[in-house]
């Protein structure tokens, strides 16, 4: 949520993701306009979402794509293996 990114800091969150990237990331559509920003990756968390798009592949959408409507939506991303990441596990 926007206030959590403000609280912890986008760069700090991004560094944590870079240090220990999860195998999957799920982005849920949620009304964040109540917190002053409508869409993750557009109005807040831009750098985090750009990193996710570069490191992960979208594998499934449930419902409406997140932040495209007021209906429920979830996007599931899977980590893209790279030569450096093969050492992870």
């Amino acid at each position: 949520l926007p206030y959590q990114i403000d609280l912890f800091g986008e760069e700090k969150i991004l560094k944590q993701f870079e240090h220990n990237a999860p195998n999957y990331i799920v982005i849920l559509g949620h009304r964040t306009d109540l917190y002053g920003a409508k869409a993750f990756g557009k109005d807040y968390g831009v750098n985090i979402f750009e990193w996710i798009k570069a490191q992960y592949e979208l594998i499934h959408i449930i419902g409406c794509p997140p932040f495209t409507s007021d209906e429920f939506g979830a996007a599931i991303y899977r980590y893209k293996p790279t030569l450096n990441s093969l050492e992870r596990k």
Side-chain angles (χ1 to χ4, degrees):
L1 295 173
Y3 71 89
Q4 292 170 318
I5 291 177
D6 287 343
L7 178 66
F8 296 109
E10 185 171 10
E11 292 305 314
K12 186 175 181 181
I13 294 168
L14 186 54
K15 285 182 184 195
Q16 289 295 318
F17 273 136
E18 290 171 344
H19 178 68
N20 192 16
N23 292 325
Y24 292 89
I25 292 178
V26 178
I27 297 176
L28 300 174
H30 182 68
R31 286 209 50 206
T32 57
D33 57 329
L34 303 171
Y35 304 102
K38 185 171 179 165
F40 175 72
K42 181 179 177 188
D43 302 315
Y44 68 98
V46 175
N47 294 329
I48 294 171
F49 191 55
E50 289 300 317
W51 182 83
I52 290 170
K53 291 190 305 186
Q55 303 297 321
Y56 290 76
E57 60 184 330
L58 177 63
I59 60 168
H60 192 68
I61 293 178
I62 301 167
C64 295
F67 307 109
T68 61
S69 79
D70 289 335
E71 300 297 319
F72 173 79
I76 302 171
Y77 291 84
R78 179 175 50 209
Y79 190 72
K80 292 189 239 179
T82 63
L83 291 178
N84 293 334
S85 69
L86 294 177
E87 301 170 3
R88 289 180 58 205
K89 291 186 180 180

